[in-house]
Each structure stands twice: as structure tokens, then as C-alpha cells.
Amino acid sequence: MKVNENFTGLSENYLFADIAKKVRAFRMQAPDADVISLGIGDVTQPLAPAVIEALHKAADEMATTTTFRGYGPERGYDFLREAIVTHDFCARGIDIEADEVFVSDGAKSDTGNFQELLSPESVVAVTDPVYPVYVDSNVMAGRRIVALPCTAENGFVPELPSEHVDVIYLCYPNNPTGTTLNKEQLKVWVDYAISEEALILYDAAYEAYIQSKDVPHSIYEIPGAKQCAVEFHSYSKTAGFTGIRCGYTVVPKDVKSERVKSEKSGLLETVSLNALWNRRQSTKFNGASYLSQRAAEAIYTPEGKAQTKATIAYYMANARLMREALTAMGFKVYGGVDAPYLWVSTPRGMTSWEFFDWMLQSAHVVCTPGVGFGGQGEGFVRLTAFGTHENTEKALRRIDSKL
Ligand code: PLP
């Protein structure tokens, strides 16, 4: 057998393994040190009581033959897809139909898998820095990638590519920079995609963290987006589902590929991505569990909404505290207003890793070196607001005292 040689083209991204190695070595050297992580991308707060109740109920249903559930419908249960349409779209004046929603086991799989629908020749644009899944999944498929630098100078707003691209991945609120695009800035991309007949793959995993009025929660708030954009959602950070696993992807029926020659008729035909994704999912995916989907449904109840909102407010209070304290210490801080991530410029020209080492050795605080998210991340570190209040406050006090 021969392997897919594209895998050898993957960059050896040992970011989190290297961080873990350095933290382990530090713990050996200073076993009594109380190391606090502001680098974690996972949540720390428990699930909402409404979600726990729904999980228990769903588990009980599995115990009797009359209410037991086996394989679910391909696109997800109607009860969840209808709740999604009502609460995430209709409530915002967006017209999305339930058969345009595909329930998933989270946004990582779908953002990684969606590229299977694209031809190998498609040219793909990604921001730099970037959530690595977009890059790696396309490198595995052998596609050419164009980087769109997001720097302090351009306010972390990517400029349109100087050459034609077929696909653009956008993630807003952004991981890792924590910055956003307002409606006007996002419209530039929708207009570009329509005029270039390109596809936008829009990752809205952090949508629930948006506080500012002019920041869109969905790309479909922008006119024309339903003909050029697919949108990924995740309950991981919205409702602490990193361990439960559930999300969804919206593939509007109006998103069509360029015309391809039909095997059957020999004629040029446009292909609906909704139909292709349905085909792909029904072949390779057997759905998120009934329990996960009932748990996700509970997020949309009045209690579920209030409880998940409170948890997000808890994390955003950390983000505000971090932003204010670090700015007062003299750091240049970006993000953290509409996202649980802060993108912090390293002081005195230090590299990302030099500053990581300083934080660990001096303040016993773990951060994530920005360079791990792409070349433009050099000179930055990412901090997350997912810790507890107590640890976040303690970490900030320590950093301040060591400066
Ligand atoms: N998209 C972005 C930008 C993320 O940061 C993450 C998780 O860190 C995901 C997707 C994956 O989310 P999920 O847990 O739903 O797979």
C-alpha cells in the first residue's frame, strides 16, 4: 500500500504537546509551585441544570422498549433542528429552513470534513493566525492554501486576497485573536464571494460570546450570504458541551457549486451543496447521540437559556478583568470583548515562546504561544477566559508582581 503523501506535507504542530512538556519539566524543577493555566481552550464550568435534567430524562427513555431510541434521522432529530431554526435564526429575522440544518457531533469534525465536497484544485484562503483544523484538513487533501495575514496593523481584519480563491474560511469571533468583524466588514467578504463565485466556510463557534450590537451572530445577517456561505455552530463553548459533543452546520439550499458535467446526462449542471453534504453525512456519519441532542434542545428552554447565559457572563467577567488588568500593566491587549480569547502582544520584543517561558518560570502561569497558530502569531500569546475567577485573579496578581 501507499499512504496519502499529502500527510507528509502537514506541519509538525506540537504546540500543545510542547506546552505540556515544558509545564511537566517546570513541575519537576519546582514541585511546590501552583501552576495556573490561562492557556486552556476547554471550559471549566459544569453543564447547566436544565441540560443535566434533559440528559437524565433521555437516559431514562433508553431504559424501556417503548421509548428506546436507536439510530436517529440523518440530519438530526426534528425537535433539535426546529429549536435551532426558531431560536438561532427566526429570532434574528433570518430565514433558514430545518432541512438546511445538519446536527453534528461538534464543529471540529464538520469544519474538517466539509472540504471533502471541494475539488482538489480548489484554492483555499485562511487567515493567519488560524484555527489549525482548516489548514490541516486541506493539506491532507493536497489543496493549495493562501494565507490572509491578520495583524495589529490591519486591526486583525483580513484583506481580500490578491488572487482568485475558491474557498475562504472565516472564524468570528476569532480563535485565537478574540477579535470580530462587524456587519460592514463581513459584507465585504460576502460581496467578494458572490462576485468570485467562491464559497465562505464560516465558523461561528464563539457566537454566544458576542456582546457588541454591530457584530453579527450569523453570516446570514448579511444579504446574499445564503447563496455563498456555509455556517458551523458548536455547543462546546456555548453551553459547555466539549465532553457531551453536539453542534450543527447550516448548508443553505441556494449554495451551489460551479457547473459540473453530469455523469448521467453529459450536460453541465449546478450541484447543491446541501444535497452533497447530505450524501456525505449519510455515508460517513451516524449522527450525534439522542442524549446529546436532547441535551442541546434543553439549551433553548427559558431555563436553559438563562443558565447558559450566566455561565458565559462568568467567563466574560474573567475576560474583562484580564483585559483591564493586563492593559493597566502596560500590555497591548486585543480581543476579549466579544470572545473568550485575548491576544496579547509580548513585551520588549520577546518571541512567543520566550514570553511563554517567562510567564511559566516567573509567574507560574501557562499561556499559549501565538506562533503555534501561524507565522503572524509570532510576538503574541493567547490567553483564555475559561478559568475560574479565583485562578484568573491570582494569575493576574502574580504576573503584575513579577513585571
Ligand atoms: N472551531 C473553532 C474556531 C474552535 O476553536 C473549536 C474548538 O476549540 C472548534 C471549532 C471545535 O469545536 P467542537 O468542540 O464543537 O468540535
Side-chain angles (χ1 to χ4, degrees):
M1 57 78 94
K2 283 187 178 169
V3 298
N4 174 353
E5 286 189 15
N6 293 326
F7 275 67
T8 62
L10 289 167
S11 68
E12 290 183 348
N13 195 341
Y14 294 132
L15 180 64
F16 290 100
D18 284 346
I19 292 173
K21 205 156 95 191
K22 279 183 181 260
V23 173
R24 257 194 324 272
F26 177 71
R27 281 190 204 278
M28 300 267 280
Q29 168 202 323
D32 296 332
D34 165 31
V35 178
I36 297 174
S37 180
L38 294 183
I40 40 166
D42 201 350
V43 293
T44 51
Q45 297 302 299
L47 292 169
V51 169
I52 295 294
E53 200 183 310
L55 280 168
H56 281 299
K57 191 161 164 256
D60 287 341
E61 284 180 58
M62 292 298 198
T64 64
T65 39
T66 46
T67 50
F68 168 79
R69 310 279 185 131
Y71 292 124
E74 281 155 12
R75 292 172 197 238
Y77 284 97
D78 288 350
F79 62 76
L80 179 55
R81 287 184 304 121
E82 276 155 21
I84 289 167
V85 165
T86 306
H87 297 276
D88 288 347
F89 297 101
C90 289
R92 296 203 167 96
I94 301 166
D95 175 27
I96 291 290
E97 288 171 26
D99 60 359
E100 295 176 309
V101 175
F102 296 79
V103 175
S104 69
D105 62 355
K108 186 175 195 170
S109 342
D110 280 16
T111 52
N113 290 331
F114 206 85
Q115 49 76 32
E116 287 185 19
L117 305 193
L118 312 172
S119 84
E121 296 81 39
S122 295
V123 177
V124 173
V126 297
T127 60
D128 176 7
V130 68
Y131 176 57
V133 172
Y134 318 146
V135 175
D136 290 352
S137 56
N138 279 288
V139 169
M140 287 171 186
R143 286 190 198 90
R144 189 159 75 79
I145 294 173
V146 171
L148 308 170
C150 290
T151 61
E153 290 69 38
N154 65 20
F156 304 98
V157 177
E159 280 155 33
L160 293 176
S162 52
E163 59 178 302
H164 168 81
V165 300
D166 301 294
V167 182
I168 306 120
Y169 285 83
L170 294 176
C171 170
Y172 291 99
N174 188 258
N175 177 13
T177 65
T179 57
T180 51
L181 294 186
N182 62 28
K183 285 188 185 161
E184 219 174 287
Q185 290 163 330
L186 187 53
K187 182 176 181 300
V188 170
W189 284 97
V190 171
D191 292 347
Y192 172 87
I194 292 170
S195 75
E196 291 289 312
E197 298 190 0
L199 172 69
I200 296 176
L201 296 176
Y202 194 75
D203 188 342
Y206 298 96
E207 164 273 312
Y209 288 81
I210 295 172
Q211 316 286 316
S212 306
K213 287 242 161 14
D214 65 337
V215 175
H217 287 255
S218 163
I219 195 168
Y220 305 119
E221 291 179 40
I222 312 298
K226 269 179 72 178
Q227 77 193 74
C228 65
V230 164
E231 183 166 280
F232 303 97
H233 285 251
S234 164
Y235 296 113
S236 285
K237 309 297 158 66
T238 305
F241 273 41
T242 50
I244 296 285
R245 308 306 307 146
C246 196
Y248 67 90
T249 296
V250 180
V251 191
K253 284 177 276 190
D254 287 346
V255 182
K256 305 256 167 59
S257 77
E258 73 174 13
R259 304 210 300 161
V260 290
K261 197 165 175 194
S262 158
E263 285 282 322
K264 276 191 216 133
S265 65
L267 299 173
L268 289 176
E269 287 177 0
T270 54
V271 181
S272 150
L273 289 199
N274 181 290
L276 285 195
W277 185 241
N278 191 46
R279 187 74 178 84
R280 189 269 172 208
Q281 289 298 78
S282 49
T283 303
K284 294 195 179 182
F285 180 60
N286 246 343
S289 74
Y290 176 67
L291 272 70
S292 307
Q293 294 191 56
R294 279 294 185 199
E297 182 194 24
I299 299 168
Y300 296 106
T301 60
E303 305 74 42
K305 274 188 186 174
Q307 292 159 1
T308 49
K309 212 169 147 195
T311 305
I312 287 172
Y314 176 94
Y315 293 134
M316 287 312 284
N318 285 345
R320 191 166 47 251
L321 180 72
M322 290 161 80
R323 208 159 31 82
E324 287 170 1
L326 291 163
T327 305
M329 289 177 219
F331 288 100
K332 267 204 161 338
V333 183
Y334 305 92
V337 176
D338 293 298
Y341 295 121
L342 288 90
W343 194 236
V344 182
S345 193
T346 60
R348 301 184 292 279
M350 282 175 156
T351 65
S352 297
W353 277 110
E354 281 167 355
F355 188 56
F356 170 92
D357 287 335
W358 180 86
M359 288 264 269
L360 180 60
Q361 301 282 338
S362 310
H364 308 170
V365 171
V366 179
C367 58
T368 311
V371 71
F373 300 98
Q376 296 293 342
E378 183 54 282
F380 291 90
V381 294
R382 187 192 74 175
L383 300 182
T384 81
F386 290 129
T388 60
H389 282 329
E390 299 70 31
N391 277 348
T392 305
E393 276 173 8
K394 209 193 302 179
L396 290 167
R397 275 200 303 274
R398 278 203 218 145
I399 297 169
D400 196 19
S401 71
K402 297 293 172 184
L403 280 173

